[in-house]
Amino acid sequence: MGLKIEEARVIVCCPGRNFVTLKIITNEGIYGLGDATLNGRELSVVSYLEDHVIPCLIGRDPHQIEDIWQFLYRGAYWRRGPITMSAIAAVDTALWDIKAKAAGLPLYQMLGGKSRTGVMVYGHANGRDIEETVEEVGRYIEIGYQAVRAQCGIPGLPSTYGVSNDKMFYEPADADLPSENIWSTSRYLDHVPKLFEKLRQVHGWDVHLLHDVHHRLTPIEAARLGQSLEPMRLFWLEDIVPAENQEGFRIIRNHTTTPLAVGEVFNTIWDCKNLIEEQLIDYIRSTVVHAGGITHLRRIADLAGLYHVKTGCHGATDLSPVCMGAALNFDLWVPNFGIQEYMRHAEVTDEVFPHHYYFSNGFLHPGESPVHGVDLDEKLAAKYPYQRAYLPVTRLEDGTMWNW
Ligand code: EZ4
Ligand code: CO
């Protein structure tokens, strides 16, 4: 009678931070896991899965990944959006996990095999001032990172994106209600070039340096930042403007050769189609959990490949180890791989999600494991119930709401 989906359930837990995980179980006992975590909006995806997706899955053949994807995407009538696409991603990842387990092969083998020996990752260094950030970047280089993202406190601003007391596990969703950051573009634009000049002076030119602007600038301001950073040869400048109005990228592109990365908040190929086809970006940041799973991310990567755009999957701590495992398998296969973000999870997260992948000398490796190689200890997870947590919001110095 063949493999059938017998049961599916959503597990919500908070080992250090909130995670939503979908577990799909088959009649033959093989199960698959998919990450469905949407930072700060977790329970909406839980409801979408439990109330509207799981009832449609029971009894289906889990091998029909493409048909189930199309059913959930086209069949909903209401297409796209982060909630829908995170839910679809969780189903898709869990089904790829089942397919790989049934075949007894690592997931990357199902996609077409390895294209490289390991996956270059970048870590997050941050400090309250330039001195501390330079030190932290040094710490990452010592651990073996070949690529480091550097974020720094801005003089005159009490707090800003990317800077925290916790150096290895930066988690922005830090409060029961949104905390507030204050933003000043002029203070920021004056300060960031000084940080990267110092980083090059101290750490030299062998390390790849990255920076995340986190949607704060306008296109012409972004162009200025890109220009002023050109001598420091960044690997990329990320989310330099909010990406709803994509024509703005043409302005940036006309002014600077600093490579641009965007797309961690994108959820389908339609969000990045023009940016890619018009060659306005260099790296696409979409990842498994927020862009419809492996099935859809593969389509984005293939389109990107035609236009010299490489992948640079989002990999902050809100992407669960299940997503990291799936992304790592994807990265091993994808021909136009660029880099993978890898922010370490807290120890307690790793205990709840035992996994085979490991970091060595700046690269992630899948380890000796079938499938995506990440499991969930449900008993342990139950000890860490959901805790409401919001991402911060940003206001300008005069109180005006801005982009976080
Ligand atoms: O703010 O993952 O590149 N990484 C980032 C992250 C995001 C969080 C949002 O949930 O921009 O820190
Ligand atoms: Co980012």
Side-chain angles (χ1 to χ4, degrees):
M1 64 172 258
L3 213 51
K4 290 248 175 311
I5 297 173
E6 202 165 73
E7 188 196 338
R9 60 173 185 269
V10 182
I11 298 128
V12 184
C13 60
C14 189
R17 61 160 350 283
N18 289 314
F19 293 111
V20 177
T21 312
L22 175 69
K23 183 169 190 169
I24 298 181
I25 304 160
T26 65
N27 56 337
E28 292 178 13
I30 295 177
Y31 65 86
L33 295 177
D35 182 20
T37 309
L38 186 63
N39 207 1
R41 295 292 185 272
E42 293 86 357
L43 299 186
S44 303
V45 189
V46 176
S47 158
Y48 195 97
L49 282 166
E50 287 181 342
D51 297 331
H52 305 296
V53 172
I54 290 176
C56 304
L57 295 178
I58 308 304
R60 283 178 193 273
D61 174 359
H63 280 308
Q64 288 187 294
I65 298 176
E66 187 64 50
D67 182 65
I68 291 174
W69 196 97
Q70 298 292 340
F71 178 90
L72 293 173
Y73 182 84
R74 291 170 195 270
Y77 186 61
W78 311 105
R79 296 184 187 196
R80 307 164 62 188
I83 313 271
T84 300
M85 297 311 290
S86 300
I88 293 178
V91 173
D92 187 75
T93 309
L95 294 181
W96 276 105
D97 194 19
I98 289 172
K99 191 185 275 300
K101 280 176 179 161
L105 288 170
L107 179 47
Y108 63 81
Q109 296 291 21
M110 309 302 293
L111 299 174
K114 278 189 197 182
S115 303
R116 54 197 55 80
T117 52
V119 165
M120 182 169 72
V121 296
Y122 71 91
H124 283 213
N126 74 86
R128 277 159 296 187
D129 51 26
I130 291 183
E131 206 186 357
E132 195 182 44
T133 310
V134 169
E135 233 171 77
E136 284 300 313
V137 168
R139 197 143 76 99
Y140 274 84
I141 295 169
E142 265 167 41
I143 302 172
Y145 282 88
Q146 299 177 13
V148 186
R149 187 188 93 157
Q151 307 291 136
C152 182
I154 309 299
L157 299 182
S159 62
T160 194
Y161 167 77
V163 181
S164 75
N165 294 330
D166 210 340
K167 292 298 176 224
M168 296 308 278
F169 316 107
Y170 169 62
E171 174 48 64
D174 59 0
D176 179 49
L177 286 172
S179 55
E180 293 197 359
N181 288 174
I182 306 295
W183 178 254
S184 158
T185 294
S186 57
R187 292 178 200 275
Y188 171 81
L189 287 179
D190 282 347
H191 197 61
V192 175
K194 293 179 194 152
L195 166 67
F196 282 90
E197 275 162 30
K198 190 79 191 167
L199 283 169
R200 283 302 183 205
Q201 262 173 32
V202 175
H203 296 302
W205 297 89
D206 275 352
V207 61
H208 296 302
L209 294 175
L210 300 80
H211 182 69
D212 192 346
V213 184
H214 223 265
H215 319 276
R216 301 291 200 275
L217 302 179
T218 66
I220 202 67
E221 292 161 353
R224 180 180 143 201
L225 180 65
Q227 266 186 2
S228 60
L229 291 173
E230 266 169 42
M232 272 69 79
R233 299 209 301 263
L234 264 60
F235 185 93
W236 81 30
L237 210 43
E238 173 185 342
D239 286 341
I240 189 160
V241 294
E244 285 101 328
N245 179 359
Q246 303 193 344
E247 277 143 40
F249 279 80
R250 216 168 285 131
I251 298 174
I252 308 169
R253 217 44 167 176
N254 284 341
H255 289 285
T256 182
T257 57
T258 295
L260 303 178
V262 76
E264 67 182 45
V265 303
F266 292 173
N267 49 72
T268 68
I269 199 165
W270 300 102
D271 296 326
C272 52
K273 180 177 175 288
N274 293 348
L275 289 176
I276 290 172
E277 286 177 347
E278 294 180 31
Q279 305 187 53
L280 297 174
I281 57 171
D282 302 282
Y283 296 91
I284 180 70
R285 300 262 303 135
S286 310
T287 192
V288 176
V289 55
H290 299 137
I294 285 170
T295 297
H296 195 64
L297 193 59
R298 193 159 67 164
R299 279 189 184 128
I300 294 176
D302 280 341
L303 176 69
L306 301 181
Y307 298 94
H308 314 285
V309 176
K310 295 179 182 173
T311 65
C313 291
H314 189 202
T317 32
D318 49 304
L319 297 288
S320 97
V322 173
C323 177
M324 278 306 295
L328 171 58
N329 276 271
F330 178 83
D331 295 340
L332 273 175
W333 158 74
V334 71
N336 47 324
F337 173 74
I339 199 166
Q340 168 71 51
E341 182 179 21
Y342 173 52
M343 212 165 147
R344 283 150 199 265
H345 286 108
E347 238 168 78
V348 55
T349 301
D350 286 342
E351 281 164 20
V352 168
F353 293 95
H355 53 261
H356 291 262
Y357 63 79
Y358 65 95
F359 173 89
S360 163
N361 270 327
F363 284 73
L364 270 186
H365 298 278
E368 292 310 312
S369 137
V371 300
H372 67 44
V374 185
D375 211 342
L376 170 61
D377 182 337
E378 287 190 64
K379 267 204 195 119
L380 193 57
K383 292 193 181 148
Y384 302 99
Y386 169 77
Q387 281 177 16
R388 191 175 69 192
Y390 281 91
L391 291 169
V393 296
T394 302
R395 290 185 188 277
L396 302 181
E397 287 165 297
D398 70 357
T400 310
M401 274 297 291
W402 199 242
N403 319 309
W404 179 72

